[in-house]
């Protein structure tokens, strides 16, 4: 009998359900089904692949309440934020659908007249794109609709079969996504969920897949890269971050404080692009801190099924220890705890929203990914100091500057090695822009046109008329 995966509600610690896990044999059988079905799927006219994706888009909207309730139950994400996540998927679907034919259409890039070379016929050079084939989509729990959808929607549209491994902490949502895609008309052998812990993901990587698209931590990303390397397949890794923000002396302080508090604490800080470090120019430091802490104190913490709740429990119990350790390390090294700093004495994995000041880069809270409701705020005396501190990280996902001078912000942001940069905004993702990381934040790109090409293999055609 298959092992069972327990699904626990982070808000109540109650067991929701136990689900059979896919072992190596089950994974191999699913792979074989996908491999057999993929050529027929790729051969369909694009319109026949678009139609079920558009139906999926409709069903997401129609069923948003039930889907959001499931996501909230298994991850603790506040229900309003769960709805927001699901309702943002249609915008991404629209972008992919509207641009799918553009990238799949073969492009003639060169034409040489018949008489260019004596005795030779006319030459044409054409670029076309083929799907990769059968790809693995190994996903994280923090935004299953976003990080999964950024992969499986364009992958399916481009003609690939997808073996989708949802996180063990978002398994019910993974199952719901699969059921919805199948109901929408995606063949059952073209999108196949793989259920289980990391071992099931590792078993998936043992199959002769054509690409792996992973979202998760740097630690697991390294394992994925090592497993994929001998296969020489397309490997994409969307990993963690330690994303900085800098509030310049000329910033609109109240707006910066409100925006950055949301950027740091939305989804309980469990976003890859959550603001994790804030540097504030000394001229506006006190005013910023007052406004920031007032905003944080105003966040409603509690039952994630309540539509007014802004902060629910963290999704994984072990994270409580990591958060407490980062706070203790910072305080031991001289930080000031302005609010929060501890788990709540109630059922569920709650951690009070935490603001630390007088922090520095000897502290883990300013160096390692926190992935929870804890933020460090550091005073700086000039832009150069802010840039040096923002650069002091192995990660490179996003960075933000708040200030009124666009050129000054651009000058600062250009010095940072990150995949996305923000001026007077943060923690934002757009389907029209590439999403990628540098350094330990990963490899490859989702979203934008690049995020369609990621699922395609280019082919060069040399046509010479004899
Ligand atoms: P994780 O690395 O623990 O797990 C991710 C997935 O990998 C899960 O499905 C897991 O079962 C699977 N896995 C674990 N070990 C494996 C192995 N050896 N082989 C194959 N698969 C394996 O990450 P998580 O806790 O689910 O997600 C949180 C992390 O994801 C954070 O670091 C966050 O910053 C990052 N993230 C990044 C982005 C981005 O776009 N860059 C988006 C969301 C989350």
């Amino acid at each position: 009998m298959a092992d069972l995966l327990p699904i626990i509600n982070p808000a109540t610690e109650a067991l929701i359900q136990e689900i059979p896990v896919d072992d190596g044999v089950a994974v191999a059988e699913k792979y074989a089904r996908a491999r057999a079905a993929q050529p027929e799927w790729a051969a369909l006219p694009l319109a026949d692949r678009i139609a079920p994706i558009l139906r999926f888009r409709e069903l997401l909207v129609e069923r948003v309440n039930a889907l959001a309730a499931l996501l909230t139950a298994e991850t603790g994400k506040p229900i309003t934020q769960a709805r927001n996540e699901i309702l943002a998927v249609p915008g991404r679907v629209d972008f992919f659908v509207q641009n799918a034919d553009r990238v799949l259409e073969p492009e003639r890039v060169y034409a040489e007249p018949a008489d260019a070379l004596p005795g030779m016929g006319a030459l044409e050079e054409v670029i076309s794109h083929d799907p990769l084939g059968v790809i693995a989509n190994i996903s994280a729990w923090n935004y299953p609709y976003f990080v999964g959808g950024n992969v499986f929607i364009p992958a399916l549209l481009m003609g690939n079969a997808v073996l989708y491994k949802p996180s063990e902490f978002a398994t019910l949502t993974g199952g719901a996504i699969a059921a919805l895609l199948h109901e929408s008309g995606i063949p059952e052998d073209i999108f196949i969920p793989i259920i289980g812990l990391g071992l099931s993901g590792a078993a998936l990587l043992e199959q002769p897949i054509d690409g792996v698209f992973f979202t998760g931590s740097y630690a697991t990303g390294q394992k994925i890269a090592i497993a994929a390397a001998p296969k020489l397949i397309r490997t994409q890794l969307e990993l963690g971050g330690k994303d900085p923000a800098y509030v310049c002396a000329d910033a609109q302080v109240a707006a910066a404080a409100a925006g950055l508090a949301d950027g740091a604490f939305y989804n309980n800080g469990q976003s890859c692009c959550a603001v994790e470090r804030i540097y504030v120019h000394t001229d506006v430091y006190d005013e910023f801190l007052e406004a920031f802490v007032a905003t944080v104190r105003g966040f409603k913490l509690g039952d994630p099924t309540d539509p007014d709740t802004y902060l629910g429990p963290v999704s994984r119990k072990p994270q409580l220890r990591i958060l407490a350790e980062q706070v203790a390390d910072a305080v031991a090294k001289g930080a000031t705890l302005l609010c929060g700093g501890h788990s709540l004495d109630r059922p569920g994995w709650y951690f009070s929203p935490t603001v630390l000041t007088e922090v520095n880069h000897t502290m883990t809270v300013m160096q390692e990914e926190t992935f929870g409701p804890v933020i460090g705020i550091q005073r700086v005396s000039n832009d150069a100091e802010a840039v040096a501190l923002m650069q002091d990280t192995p990660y490179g996902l996003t960075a933000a500057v708040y200030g009124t001078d666009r050129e000054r912000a651009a000058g600062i942001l250009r010095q940072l090695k990150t995949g996305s940069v923000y001026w007077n905004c943060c923690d934002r993702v757009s389907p029209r822009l590439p999403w990628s990381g540098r350094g330990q934040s990963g490899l490859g790109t989702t979203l934008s046109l690049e995020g369609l090409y990621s699922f395609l293999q280019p082919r060069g055609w040399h046509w010479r008329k004899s």
Side-chain angles (χ1 to χ4, degrees):
M1 215 175 94
D3 288 345
L4 293 176
L5 172 67
I7 312 290
I8 311 281
N9 184 326
T12 61
E13 301 181 47
L15 177 70
I16 303 174
Q17 206 177 321
E18 288 184 304
I19 301 200
V21 160
D22 285 318
D23 61 12
V25 174
V27 171
E29 181 268 331
K30 290 183 172 186
Y31 164 78
R33 280 170 45 205
R35 176 61 75 196
Q38 189 268 336
E40 195 180 328
W41 174 247
L44 287 176
L46 175 60
D48 292 358
R49 294 198 298 272
I50 287 179
I53 293 293
L54 289 178
R55 179 70 186 133
F56 173 69
R57 177 198 193 286
E58 270 173 32
L59 289 180
L60 280 179
V61 177
E62 266 174 47
R63 312 234 177 115
V64 62
N65 289 337
L67 295 169
L70 197 64
L71 182 56
T72 294
E74 67 179 336
T75 65
K77 187 187 291 262
I79 189 75
T80 305
Q81 296 174 22
R83 285 174 54 86
N84 289 348
E85 180 183 342
I86 296 164
L87 292 176
V89 176
R92 298 182 186 206
V93 169
D94 292 345
F95 175 83
F96 290 133
V97 165
Q98 284 157 15
N99 290 286
D101 57 348
R102 180 168 161 192
V103 297
L104 285 173
E105 188 64 33
E107 185 189 358
R108 192 174 73 163
V109 291
Y110 181 70
E112 190 180 77
D115 55 1
L117 283 175
M120 305 286 267
L123 178 78
E124 265 182 41
E125 293 175 357
V126 174
I127 303 173
S128 73
H129 288 89
D130 300 318
L132 298 175
V134 177
I135 64 136
N137 176 193
I138 302 179
S139 207
W141 48 266
N142 61 335
Y143 284 96
Y145 286 93
F146 282 168
V147 298
N150 292 351
V151 171
F152 65 72
I153 295 168
L156 290 169
L157 281 172
M158 296 297 101
N160 299 280
V162 178
L163 294 165
Y164 171 62
K165 159 75 180 72
S167 162
E168 53 271 42
F169 302 103
T171 302
L172 299 179
T173 294
I177 288 172
L180 223 58
L181 284 167
H182 296 154
E183 185 181 339
S184 306
I186 300 289
E188 294 202 359
D189 289 351
I190 287 298
F191 184 87
I192 309 182
I194 305 278
I195 301 304
L197 300 162
L199 275 180
S200 304
L204 175 52
L205 290 174
E206 285 172 16
Q207 303 304 314
I209 49 175
D210 300 305
V212 55
F213 295 79
F214 170 78
T215 309
S217 60
Y218 170 63
T220 312
Q222 281 179 302
K223 293 183 194 162
I224 303 285
I226 289 166
K231 296 178 188 291
L232 305 179
I233 52 172
R234 183 77 52 87
T235 302
Q236 200 154 293
L237 307 170
E238 295 201 338
L239 309 179
K242 189 71 193 166
D243 294 358
Y246 171 42
V247 182
C248 299
D250 62 356
Q252 302 281 339
V253 174
L260 286 171
D262 190 46
F265 290 98
Y266 192 82
N267 201 32
N268 229 338
Q270 302 171 120
S271 308
C272 52
C273 53
V275 174
E276 293 229 349
R277 307 177 278 150
I278 302 178
Y279 306 98
V280 185
H281 194 279
T282 189
D283 289 359
V284 290
Y285 181 81
D286 292 336
E287 187 188 350
F288 175 84
L289 214 54
E290 194 181 326
F292 189 90
V293 172
T295 308
V296 173
R297 287 193 200 282
F299 289 148
K300 185 172 176 201
L301 181 147
D303 176 2
T305 64
D306 178 344
D308 293 330
T309 292
Y310 181 83
L311 290 165
V314 297
S315 303
R316 294 170 58 253
K317 190 176 184 183
Q319 202 62 20
L320 292 175
R321 187 179 49 79
I322 292 171
L323 300 177
E325 281 174 3
Q326 286 199 354
V327 172
D329 171 73
V331 171
K333 291 174 180 162
T336 303
L337 185 60
L338 284 192
C339 60
H342 53 86
S343 301
L344 297 196
D345 187 17
R346 58 179 280 179
W349 306 326
Y350 289 92
F351 200 89
S352 56
T354 302
V355 180
L356 290 159
T357 57
E358 311 307 321
V359 290
N360 62 54
H361 278 217
T362 66
M363 302 171 184
T364 53
V365 74
M366 300 303 275
Q367 291 280 289
E368 292 172 13
E369 191 176 39
T370 302
F371 226 58
V374 175
I375 188 80
I377 303 180
Q378 185 165 351
R379 186 198 296 263
V380 295
S381 19
N382 53 51
D383 292 358
E385 186 185 358
V387 168
L389 289 167
M390 291 168 99
Q391 285 171 331
D392 180 26
T393 177
Y395 289 107
L397 196 56
T398 82
V401 169
Y402 283 73
T404 44
D405 183 340
R406 181 173 168 147
E407 279 314 306
R408 175 186 186 171
I412 293 170
L413 292 169
R414 271 192 212 102
Q415 296 176 64
L416 306 175
K417 290 196 176 77
T418 63
S420 298
V421 288
Y422 306 111
W423 181 46
N424 292 324
C425 56
C426 61
D427 190 27
R428 178 177 190 278
V429 179
S430 161
R432 295 168 292 279
L433 296 177
W435 187 251
S436 65
R438 305 201 184 161
Q440 291 186 9
S441 291
L443 274 182
T445 305
T446 50
L447 302 175
S448 76
L449 291 183
E450 297 282 336
L452 287 163
Y453 285 117
S454 292
F455 301 97
L456 293 169
Q457 188 69 44
R459 190 199 295 259
W461 297 79
H462 306 242
W463 296 102
R464 187 179 288 284
K465 214 172 183 177
S466 62

